[in-house]
Amino acid sequence: MNSISRFFWFCSGVHIPTLEKHPTEHNKYLGIGATIFFTGLFAALSGGYAMYFVFKGDSTALPFAFLFGLIWGLAIFNMDRYIVSSINKSASTGKQLLQATPRILLAIMIGIVISRPLELKIFDKEIKEKLKVTYLNNQRAKIDTLNVAFNNKYKIELAKLKETKAQRDSLESGIKTDRQKLNFEIFGNKTTETSGIMGYGPYAKRKEGELKQREQDLDTLSAGVRKLEDFVDGRKQFDGLMSEKLYTSKQLDSLTSIAGFADRNSALGQLSINSNGKKDVNTALAITFIGLLFIFFECLPVFVKLMSSRGPYDRSVENIETAQMYESDKDKDYEITVIDGVHDTRVSTEINRRKNALNSN
């Protein structure tokens, strides 16, 4: 237990030999040190998780994540330790607040930075679903853009194909009607356009000749349509339209599993917005409060140090610093006095030497 306490005292940035003289201060600085330590631990986990996504899919992802997480955690730990230990409790309340203001702002920024990767992990399932929707919409938009560009590029050919198809369909419909009329004529069905006399007469022969000619025209139009369709399909293949298709569920799962930090971060920001464009208050509050929790946790050591009253440890540290400053001043006076004395001696010696030299001449 003693070694654990000393470790957390070290984390709080105190002068351990001085703190050991004041048992009533032990728990306070143990708590401050533990808070600083766990803040650094969370920062290490957060940084490592973020780096893991940067190198995800690479064999070096885990080593890089571990190394960066360790470095990032130690950096945040050292910064927090400095922030807390640098607050001077011997100063007035206003001066302490002035000292703490930039440190609190820095703590807020650190809290935001370390909370984001952990938020990504907390909302991992929702982020994946949002990414699937985003990827699907992006792919659909890409296909639509390619289609629009293709239609503009081959406007003349597509218009000709449409016109030829319309002619073919119209001719095909007319042939069906004429064939029905021919059958009515042969079987003696009386209509406004048939004679009503059964048999294969002159009228039927003429109709059949016209029908064959129209069927030949239909074959010609159909061949033209097929030729134009082959051309359009070839152009689509060349321009990449045939290869672009909407993602399947398996493809979407694969894409979300390798999504980078930027995509996941963007998806997290979109979680608070519904598909209809309105804000999802519940999700937004959840994300906000999780972020605020880490910000508060990061600021907690500073707040604890500010709220704590000036204890015997602070008085002892102030006395030690005062004594050291006094000793430093005395050392300065000592050095100045010695230098002045040496200087005077050197001057006197030089004066006597020169006088003796003059007298000897």
Side-chain angles (χ1 to χ4, degrees):
M1 182 64 184
N2 186 49
S3 59
I4 296 176
S5 297
R6 292 179 69 85
F7 172 73
F8 286 134
W9 290 344
F10 165 78
C11 294
S12 67
V14 297
H15 186 250
I16 295 178
T18 303
L19 181 62
E20 287 178 331
K21 300 176 184 178
H22 308 288
T24 57
E25 297 279 79
H26 289 183
N27 288 335
K28 179 174 75 174
Y29 286 98
L30 188 147
I32 293 175
T35 305
I36 293 174
F37 170 77
F38 284 110
T39 302
L41 179 62
F42 280 129
L45 294 174
S46 176
Y49 183 72
M51 188 56 62
Y52 175 76
F53 269 100
V54 173
F55 292 96
K56 191 173 182 181
D58 196 322
S59 59
T60 59
L62 282 176
F64 268 120
F66 177 79
L67 180 62
F68 180 81
L70 181 63
I71 295 173
W72 179 249
L74 288 174
I76 298 300
F77 168 79
N78 183 66
M79 196 174 300
D80 283 344
R81 188 169 179 266
Y82 165 73
I83 288 173
V84 173
S85 62
S86 61
I87 296 177
N88 184 8
K89 292 301 295 182
S90 62
S92 63
T93 303
K95 191 172 182 180
Q96 288 184 46
L97 288 173
L98 188 63
Q99 288 178 338
T101 298
R103 291 164 174 79
I104 292 173
L105 293 176
L106 181 60
I108 291 173
M109 292 181 63
I110 294 172
I112 293 173
V113 170
I114 68 173
S115 67
R116 199 61 173 179
L118 295 178
E119 288 174 357
L120 292 176
K121 185 59 179 176
I122 293 171
F123 293 98
D124 183 64
K125 183 178 179 181
E126 292 79 5
I127 288 172
K128 286 183 177 180
E129 292 301 320
K130 178 63 72 173
L131 283 174
K132 288 180 181 180
V133 174
T134 301
Y135 289 151
L136 198 59
N137 290 337
N138 290 343
Q139 183 68 2
R140 186 179 289 111
K142 182 180 179 181
I143 293 173
D144 292 341
T145 302
L146 288 174
N147 282 325
V148 171
F150 183 84
N151 291 337
N152 291 332
K153 185 177 181 180
Y154 299 100
K155 185 184 296 184
I156 297 175
E157 290 81 355
L158 291 172
K160 186 176 180 181
L161 175 60
K162 183 178 180 181
E163 181 183 356
T164 307
K165 281 184 175 181
Q167 292 176 358
R168 181 198 63 184
D169 294 340
S170 176
L171 184 58
E172 191 173 17
S173 177
I175 289 174
K176 288 181 180 179
T177 303
D178 288 346
R179 188 176 297 281
Q180 187 179 35
K181 291 178 182 179
L182 178 61
N183 290 334
F184 285 168
E185 178 66 28
I186 293 173
F187 292 105
N189 294 333
K190 177 65 176 175
T191 65
T192 56
E193 297 182 1
T194 58
S195 62
I197 301 172
M198 182 180 293
Y200 190 68
Y203 182 77
K205 290 181 180 180
R206 188 176 73 252
K207 275 291 183 183
E208 187 177 25
E210 293 175 355
L211 190 60
K212 287 182 179 180
Q213 181 61 45
R214 298 187 72 180
E215 286 177 343
Q216 290 177 1
D217 294 340
L218 178 62
D219 291 339
T220 302
L221 283 174
S222 297
V225 168
R226 286 193 297 272
K227 184 177 180 181
L228 286 171
E229 286 179 339
D230 290 341
F231 172 79
V232 171
D233 290 341
R235 292 295 89 191
K236 284 184 177 180
Q237 185 71 35
F238 180 79
D239 290 352
L241 265 72
M242 304 296 285
S243 59
E244 293 294 339
K245 297 180 181 179
L246 290 177
Y247 294 129
T248 63
S249 297
K250 187 175 181 180
Q251 288 175 320
L252 287 172
D253 290 337
S254 177
L255 287 172
T256 53
S257 65
I258 61 173
F261 184 82
D263 284 350
R264 294 176 64 82
N265 186 53
S266 176
L268 178 61
Q270 295 173 10
L271 284 181
S272 57
I273 302 175
N274 291 322
S275 56
N276 57 7
K278 293 183 179 180
K279 190 172 184 179
D280 186 348
V281 179
N282 293 329
T283 304
L285 287 176
I287 296 173
T288 301
F289 280 124
I290 290 173
L292 289 175
L293 176 64
F294 283 100
I295 292 172
F296 176 76
F297 191 76
E298 176 64 29
C299 297
L300 189 60
V302 181
F303 290 150
V304 170
K305 189 69 180 288
L306 285 174
M307 290 186 297
S308 61
S309 59
R310 187 184 181 197
Y313 169 77
D314 299 304
R315 179 65 65 84
S316 295
V317 170
E318 182 184 4
N319 292 338
I320 291 173
E321 290 177 348
T322 301
Q324 289 177 343
M325 291 177 66
Y326 180 78
E327 182 181 4
S328 177
D329 291 339
K330 287 300 180 181
D331 288 342
K332 182 189 72 172
D333 294 339
Y334 167 79
E335 290 294 333
I336 291 174
T337 302
V338 170
I339 291 171
D340 288 342
V342 170
H343 177 72
D344 292 341
T345 301
R346 289 175 62 189
V347 170
S348 299
T349 303
E350 183 64 18
I351 290 173
N352 292 330
R353 187 184 67 79
R354 292 188 182 186
K355 283 182 178 181
N356 292 333
L358 289 173
N359 292 332
S360 63
N361 291 333

PDB file of all heavy atoms in Angstrom, residues 282-295:
ATOM      1  N   ASN A 282     -31.880  12.971 -28.431  1.00  0.00           N
ATOM      2  CA  ASN A 282     -31.390  11.960 -27.491  1.00  0.00           C
ATOM      3  C   ASN A 282     -29.955  11.539 -27.812  1.00  0.00           C
ATOM      4  O   ASN A 282     -29.093  11.473 -26.924  1.00  0.00           O
ATOM      5  CB  ASN A 282     -32.306  10.733 -27.516  1.00  0.00           C
ATOM      6  CG  ASN A 282     -33.685  11.038 -26.970  1.00  0.00           C
ATOM      7  OD1 ASN A 282     -33.840  11.895 -26.099  1.00  0.00           O
ATOM      8  ND2 ASN A 282     -34.704  10.366 -27.477  1.00  0.00           N
ATOM      9  N   THR A 283     -29.699  11.250 -29.080  1.00  0.00           N
ATOM     10  CA  THR A 283     -28.343  10.845 -29.475  1.00  0.00           C
ATOM     11  C   THR A 283     -27.359  11.992 -29.296  1.00  0.00           C
ATOM     12  O   THR A 283     -26.229  11.791 -28.837  1.00  0.00           O
ATOM     13  CB  THR A 283     -28.335  10.378 -30.939  1.00  0.00           C
ATOM     14  OG1 THR A 283     -29.294   9.330 -31.110  1.00  0.00           O
ATOM     15  CG2 THR A 283     -26.967   9.862 -31.333  1.00  0.00           C
ATOM     16  N   ALA A 284     -27.796  13.196 -29.658  1.00  0.00           N
ATOM     17  CA  ALA A 284     -26.918  14.363 -29.514  1.00  0.00           C
ATOM     18  C   ALA A 284     -26.547  14.585 -28.049  1.00  0.00           C
ATOM     19  O   ALA A 284     -25.384  14.875 -27.726  1.00  0.00           O
ATOM     20  CB  ALA A 284     -27.601  15.601 -30.083  1.00  0.00           C
ATOM     21  N   LEU A 285     -27.524  14.436 -27.165  1.00  0.00           N
ATOM     22  CA  LEU A 285     -27.246  14.609 -25.735  1.00  0.00           C
ATOM     23  C   LEU A 285     -26.311  13.524 -25.219  1.00  0.00           C
ATOM     24  O   LEU A 285     -25.416  13.798 -24.402  1.00  0.00           O
ATOM     25  CB  LEU A 285     -28.557  14.592 -24.943  1.00  0.00           C
ATOM     26  CG  LEU A 285     -29.441  15.841 -25.069  1.00  0.00           C
ATOM     27  CD1 LEU A 285     -30.747  15.638 -24.321  1.00  0.00           C
ATOM     28  CD2 LEU A 285     -28.713  17.074 -24.530  1.00  0.00           C
ATOM     29  N   ALA A 286     -26.520  12.291 -25.692  1.00  0.00           N
ATOM     30  CA  ALA A 286     -25.653  11.189 -25.248  1.00  0.00           C
ATOM     31  C   ALA A 286     -24.203  11.448 -25.639  1.00  0.00           C
ATOM     32  O   ALA A 286     -23.284  11.300 -24.820  1.00  0.00           O
ATOM     33  CB  ALA A 286     -26.142   9.872 -25.851  1.00  0.00           C
ATOM     34  N   ILE A 287     -23.990  11.851 -26.891  1.00  0.00           N
ATOM     35  CA  ILE A 287     -22.628  12.134 -27.360  1.00  0.00           C
ATOM     36  C   ILE A 287     -22.032  13.314 -26.596  1.00  0.00           C
ATOM     37  O   ILE A 287     -20.870  13.293 -26.180  1.00  0.00           O
ATOM     38  CB  ILE A 287     -22.639  12.418 -28.876  1.00  0.00           C
ATOM     39  CG1 ILE A 287     -23.081  11.170 -29.652  1.00  0.00           C
ATOM     40  CG2 ILE A 287     -21.264  12.871 -29.351  1.00  0.00           C
ATOM     41  CD1 ILE A 287     -23.277  11.405 -31.135  1.00  0.00           C
ATOM     42  N   THR A 288     -22.859  14.341 -26.388  1.00  0.00           N
ATOM     43  CA  THR A 288     -22.379  15.536 -25.690  1.00  0.00           C
ATOM     44  C   THR A 288     -21.989  15.224 -24.251  1.00  0.00           C
ATOM     45  O   THR A 288     -20.924  15.647 -23.778  1.00  0.00           O
ATOM     46  CB  THR A 288     -23.463  16.626 -25.708  1.00  0.00           C
ATOM     47  OG1 THR A 288     -23.793  16.940 -27.066  1.00  0.00           O
ATOM     48  CG2 THR A 288     -22.972  17.884 -25.009  1.00  0.00           C
ATOM     49  N   PHE A 289     -22.838  14.474 -23.556  1.00  0.00           N
ATOM     50  CA  PHE A 289     -22.561  14.191 -22.145  1.00  0.00           C
ATOM     51  C   PHE A 289     -21.349  13.275 -21.973  1.00  0.00           C
ATOM     52  O   PHE A 289     -20.606  13.404 -20.991  1.00  0.00           O
ATOM     53  CB  PHE A 289     -23.789  13.581 -21.470  1.00  0.00           C
ATOM     54  CG  PHE A 289     -24.827  14.597 -21.089  1.00  0.00           C
ATOM     55  CD1 PHE A 289     -26.123  14.495 -21.542  1.00  0.00           C
ATOM     56  CD2 PHE A 289     -24.497  15.681 -20.287  1.00  0.00           C
ATOM     57  CE1 PHE A 289     -27.080  15.442 -21.205  1.00  0.00           C
ATOM     58  CE2 PHE A 289     -25.439  16.634 -19.940  1.00  0.00           C
ATOM     59  CZ  PHE A 289     -26.739  16.513 -20.401  1.00  0.00           C
ATOM     60  N   ILE A 290     -21.152  12.360 -22.909  1.00  0.00           N
ATOM     61  CA  ILE A 290     -19.951  11.517 -22.835  1.00  0.00           C
ATOM     62  C   ILE A 290     -18.704  12.379 -23.006  1.00  0.00           C
ATOM     63  O   ILE A 290     -17.714  12.231 -22.276  1.00  0.00           O
ATOM     64  CB  ILE A 290     -20.008  10.409 -23.902  1.00  0.00           C
ATOM     65  CG1 ILE A 290     -21.085   9.385 -23.532  1.00  0.00           C
ATOM     66  CG2 ILE A 290     -18.654   9.713 -24.033  1.00  0.00           C
ATOM     67  CD1 ILE A 290     -21.327   8.343 -24.591  1.00  0.00           C
ATOM     68  N   GLY A 291     -18.757  13.301 -23.973  1.00  0.00           N
ATOM     69  CA  GLY A 291     -17.633  14.218 -24.154  1.00  0.00           C
ATOM     70  C   GLY A 291     -17.407  15.093 -22.932  1.00  0.00           C
ATOM     71  O   GLY A 291     -16.268  15.298 -22.495  1.00  0.00           O
ATOM     72  N   LEU A 292     -18.505  15.603 -22.356  1.00  0.00           N
ATOM     73  CA  LEU A 292     -18.384  16.446 -21.160  1.00  0.00           C
ATOM     74  C   LEU A 292     -17.831  15.660 -19.975  1.00  0.00           C
ATOM     75  O   LEU A 292     -17.108  16.213 -19.136  1.00  0.00           O
ATOM     76  CB  LEU A 292     -19.752  17.035 -20.802  1.00  0.00           C
ATOM     77  CG  LEU A 292     -20.295  18.108 -21.753  1.00  0.00           C
ATOM     78  CD1 LEU A 292     -21.704  18.515 -21.338  1.00  0.00           C
ATOM     79  CD2 LEU A 292     -19.376  19.325 -21.771  1.00  0.00           C
ATOM     80  N   LEU A 293     -18.182  14.373 -19.919  1.00  0.00           N
ATOM     81  CA  LEU A 293     -17.674  13.540 -18.831  1.00  0.00           C
ATOM     82  C   LEU A 293     -16.149  13.472 -18.869  1.00  0.00           C
ATOM     83  O   LEU A 293     -15.479  13.633 -17.841  1.00  0.00           O
ATOM     84  CB  LEU A 293     -18.270  12.136 -18.937  1.00  0.00           C
ATOM     85  CG  LEU A 293     -17.761  11.102 -17.918  1.00  0.00           C
ATOM     86  CD1 LEU A 293     -18.140  11.525 -16.504  1.00  0.00           C
ATOM     87  CD2 LEU A 293     -18.321   9.720 -18.226  1.00  0.00           C
ATOM     88  N   PHE A 294     -15.595  13.260 -20.056  1.00  0.00           N
ATOM     89  CA  PHE A 294     -14.141  13.183 -20.174  1.00  0.00           C
ATOM     90  C   PHE A 294     -13.497  14.550 -19.962  1.00  0.00           C
ATOM     91  O   PHE A 294     -12.398  14.639 -19.401  1.00  0.00           O
ATOM     92  CB  PHE A 294     -13.755  12.618 -21.544  1.00  0.00           C
ATOM     93  CG  PHE A 294     -13.925  11.132 -21.644  1.00  0.00           C
ATOM     94  CD1 PHE A 294     -15.031  10.584 -22.264  1.00  0.00           C
ATOM     95  CD2 PHE A 294     -12.986  10.277 -21.106  1.00  0.00           C
ATOM     96  CE1 PHE A 294     -15.198   9.216 -22.352  1.00  0.00           C
ATOM     97  CE2 PHE A 294     -13.134   8.902 -21.187  1.00  0.00           C
ATOM     98  CZ  PHE A 294     -14.245   8.366 -21.813  1.00  0.00           C
ATOM     99  N   ILE A 295     -14.163  15.596 -20.416  1.00  0.00           N
ATOM    100  CA  ILE A 295     -13.632  16.942 -20.185  1.00  0.00           C
ATOM    101  C   ILE A 295     -13.588  17.245 -18.688  1.00  0.00           C
ATOM    102  O   ILE A 295     -12.593  17.762 -18.166  1.00  0.00           O
ATOM    103  CB  ILE A 295     -14.491  17.987 -20.927  1.00  0.00           C
ATOM    104  CG1 ILE A 295     -14.318  17.825 -22.443  1.00  0.00           C
ATOM    105  CG2 ILE A 295     -14.115  19.400 -20.504  1.00  0.00           C
ATOM    106  CD1 ILE A 295     -15.260  18.683 -23.257  1.00  0.00           C
TER     107      ILE A 295
END
